Amino acid sequence: MKISDCRGRLWLGVGVACLAAWGTSAMAADPVRDVTGATPAQLAAPAVPAQSANAPAAASGTIQELRDRIQNKEVTELRTTYNGRYGASLLFYPQTLGYYVALFHEGQFWRVVKVSNEKKAEALYADFVHQTQVLADVEINRIKLEAQKAMIERQLAESETRLNAVQNDLTIQRQQEQALAQNQQAVREQAAALETERSAARIRLSDVQGQIRSLEAQQNTVDSDLVRSVKGSSKKTTRRR
């Protein structure tokens, strides 16, 4: 019979119907699956000799007793709840109609209570489940904080990269502005020099043009004198004739 069939009967009919299906102790219970996620080597007690199905639990404590029951396939898991890396399990031991209520962390039992009363077992299991919630909340909060820290660090790295880029842009901008200012100063100085040269050239041009006008005036005067001289000589010749 599968574990799930037994679970359903236990849930609906409390343990009697399932015990009838199991029969006598000569018929071994179905194997309990690894409720903690641990390997058989982790659950097995080191250096403890194997026990028969009907042998009493070793005097090493309830935790080891449950491990041995699991190794010997004597218990059936009824309930298991996980919260983070913490978990709680309720297991049924059909030979005594008893229950084991266990707390575990990362596949290792760290608290196991043996109960003979079903209601007490259910109540204790509920309490253990609550404990896993409380314990896991701290770890879940740590996981969230770790993720938030990683995200902030990524954002910080991106912001630092952006800051470096902006600083580089600002440095280049300042260098360009300085070069532009120097260029503007040089252009202004060149313009001032050209203005001085232009003014000097204009003065020189005006002076040369004045000289040209003076010489042209002199030239016109000489031409007029020559014309008058020629005309005067022509009149004298005519009279003599």
Side-chain angles (χ1 to χ4, degrees):
M1 177 176 291
K2 295 182 180 178
I3 295 175
S4 58
D5 296 336
C6 293
R7 285 184 186 172
R9 295 185 183 183
L10 284 170
W11 183 263
L12 296 173
V14 189
V16 177
C18 209
L19 286 173
W22 275 320
T24 64
S25 59
M27 299 176 63
D30 290 335
V32 60
R33 69 179 178 86
D34 182 4
V35 298
T36 66
T39 63
Q42 289 175 315
L43 293 172
V48 175
Q51 298 176 342
S52 67
N54 295 321
S60 56
T62 310
I63 291 177
Q64 186 58 49
E65 178 181 318
L66 178 57
R67 287 176 176 171
D68 293 339
R69 300 292 186 206
I70 292 173
Q71 285 293 311
N72 295 328
K73 302 177 182 180
E74 298 173 342
V75 292
T76 302
E77 174 198 0
L78 301 181
R79 305 179 190 278
T80 294
T81 299
Y82 289 91
N83 280 293
R85 293 185 294 178
Y86 296 88
S89 287
L90 175 63
L91 301 104
F92 180 64
Y93 182 48
Q95 294 187 22
T96 62
L97 300 183
Y99 300 87
Y100 290 91
V101 188
L103 271 173
F104 57 87
H105 176 251
E106 292 187 330
Q108 296 294 325
F109 291 126
W110 58 282
R111 186 178 178 193
V112 175
V113 178
K114 185 164 59 174
V115 181
S116 59
N117 181 277
E118 181 185 4
K119 290 184 178 180
K120 289 182 178 179
E122 292 283 2
L124 183 58
Y125 172 75
D127 181 64
F128 279 11
V129 169
H130 177 70
Q131 289 187 44
T132 64
Q133 292 174 339
V134 173
L135 293 169
D137 282 346
V138 177
E139 187 168 354
I140 290 171
N141 186 52
R142 179 193 64 80
I143 292 171
K144 291 179 179 178
L145 290 174
E146 190 175 56
Q148 292 171 359
K149 174 178 173 288
M151 183 182 68
I152 291 173
E153 287 177 346
R154 289 194 300 270
Q155 292 176 342
L156 177 60
E158 292 173 357
S159 297
E160 288 177 343
T161 301
R162 177 60 182 163
L163 175 62
N164 291 333
V166 173
Q167 288 177 337
N168 291 336
D169 289 345
L170 181 59
T171 300
I172 294 172
Q173 181 181 352
R174 286 174 175 172
Q175 291 174 347
Q176 291 296 327
E177 288 177 350
Q178 184 178 3
L180 180 61
Q182 293 174 349
N183 181 68
Q184 288 289 306
Q185 180 63 27
V187 170
R188 282 193 293 269
E189 292 175 354
Q190 292 174 0
L194 289 173
E195 177 63 23
T196 301
E197 293 174 359
R198 184 180 69 86
S199 298
R202 177 177 291 177
I203 293 172
R204 177 63 179 162
L205 175 62
S206 179
D207 182 58
V208 169
Q209 288 175 343
Q211 292 179 12
I212 291 171
R213 285 193 295 270
S214 176
L215 291 174
E216 286 177 343
Q218 292 177 15
Q219 185 180 21
N220 290 334
T221 300
V222 171
D223 290 343
S224 297
D225 291 344
L226 177 60
V227 169
R228 283 194 299 269
S229 176
V230 171
K231 286 181 178 180
S233 298
S234 178
K235 286 179 180 180
K236 290 180 179 181
T237 303
T238 301
R239 288 175 182 176
R240 287 177 182 177
R241 289 179 180 178

